[in-house]
Amino acid sequence: MDKENRLKQIAGYINKMPSLPISVTKVIEICNDPRTSPADLNRVIRVDPVLMGNVMKLINSAYYGLSDQVTSLVRAIIMLGINTVKNLSLSTAILGTLSTKDQFQALNMDGFWRHSLCVGAAAKLIARHIKVDQKNLENYFIAGLLHDIGKIPLNNKLPGEYLQAISISDRKHQSLVKSETEAMEINHTESGHLIVHSWKLGEEIKDAVVYHHSPESYEGKNKEIVYAIAAANYFSNYFEIGFSGDRYPEKPQEFIFTELGVTVDWFEGIEETVNEEINKAKIFLNMKK
Ligand SMILES: [Fe+2]
Ligand SMILES: [Fe+2]
């Protein structure tokens, strides 16, 4: 298959990908307003039975270990916190609409989402560390969650070629992004670009998705988030939290870590918190490991 044909196939797949449910877009929008109260959030969530069910399921899960069942949605939102509700509604919407077990071909889905959640949680902790404005914190989580989203169309639409890319990586001990270009003439940062563009998720998230494997060459105005996602991705691979097909990832250049003021020791310190965040999300996503 030639490059043009391949691109057409991938673009076609992306066009057919479901967009985010309106209720989730609304949740994100109102959570971005610092004056939002649990009552405001309640008004949006209560009209979406799936979303509401998920919030109730989470607060009443073993993870929170409450002795009495919570039955009021507002109470659940207050107890979980606005940000948790927002993160989890977005994660469920994205993961729920995009992936079912049989769609996934070359990559293992649980490992992939675990990796994505890890990068989201770690990126948000980096954002706190570098004192990013409170209202921008969630963008870091979302960018981390979505950074490898471009692997989905490659893996699902062209699974044979994707397996080939993975085996090139194994044979040559080189990063998956490089092997994708070799095997398919398109890599997951390019297909990811198409997806975040069609979802209208904004410049910050787009730049993070496009440049997470080449932060050194980024020259736009969103350096902080691009560097944070590159570093969080490295952290996730280094500590092997989840697996996104990259056995030989390239380490970003040292200045990326220096600019953020993070080291391997610092990452070790956040590992437990990151795992807690993943565990919360797992309740929603029915992940096994
Ligand atoms: Fe990646
Ligand atoms: Fe990644």
Side-chain angles (χ1 to χ4, degrees), residues 50 104 114 135 138 152 171 173 189 192 228 230 245 252 261 285:
V50 176
F104 252 64
R114 200 178 166 82
K135 68 177 192 327
E138 290 312 307
I152 289 181
R171 203 175 57 230
H173 292 202
T189 65
L285 305 173

Side-chain angles (χ1 to χ4, degrees), residues 100-243:
T100 63
K101 287 217 156 65
D102 53 7
Q103 268 179 345
F104 252 64
Q105 311 272 347
L107 287 174
N108 166 281
M109 187 192 90
D110 282 354
F112 176 81
W113 288 117
R114 200 178 166 82
H115 168 79
S116 303
L117 288 164
C118 171
V119 175
K124 199 170 144 186
L125 291 167
I126 295 175
R128 277 219 181 93
H129 179 70
I130 58 172
K131 302 198 165 43
V132 163
D133 202 272
Q134 183 73 25
K135 68 177 192 327
N136 258 341
L137 282 182
E138 290 312 307
N139 255 0
Y140 282 68
F141 178 82
I142 297 164
L145 184 68
L146 294 178
H147 78 287
D148 275 341
I149 194 91
K151 287 181 179 173
I152 289 181
L154 300 186
N155 178 56
N156 291 355
K157 192 67 203 173
L158 306 165
E161 284 161 297
Y162 210 68
L163 274 174
Q164 207 186 325
I166 292 174
S167 75
I168 292 176
S169 279
D170 287 346
R171 203 175 57 230
K172 292 191 175 175
H173 292 202
Q174 74 178 16
S175 70
L176 184 56
V177 67
K178 237 188 208 163
S179 305
E180 286 166 356
T181 307
E182 259 183 64
M184 320 173 84
E185 292 178 274
I186 176 170
N187 68 50
H188 70 273
T189 65
E190 295 164 327
S191 49
H193 188 174
L194 297 174
I195 300 172
V196 294
H197 177 76
S198 79
W199 285 357
K200 301 188 180 63
L201 289 172
E203 288 290 305
E204 270 202 321
I205 290 170
K206 188 202 78 197
D207 288 352
V209 167
V210 176
Y211 286 94
H212 72 274
H213 287 294
S214 53
E216 298 86 1
S217 67
Y218 179 72
E219 281 178 345
K221 58 177 173 30
N222 301 314
K223 274 196 178 137
E224 285 184 329
I225 196 166
V226 171
Y227 290 5
I229 301 304
N233 183 46
Y234 178 72
F235 158 78
S236 172
N237 285 320
Y238 184 89
F239 287 95
E240 295 178 348
I241 304 177
F243 181 62

Side-chain angles (χ1 to χ4, degrees), residues 9-21:
Q9 289 223 24
I10 296 296
Y13 182 94
I14 292 170
N15 283 336
K16 281 196 219 104
M17 276 164 89
S19 48
L20 298 175

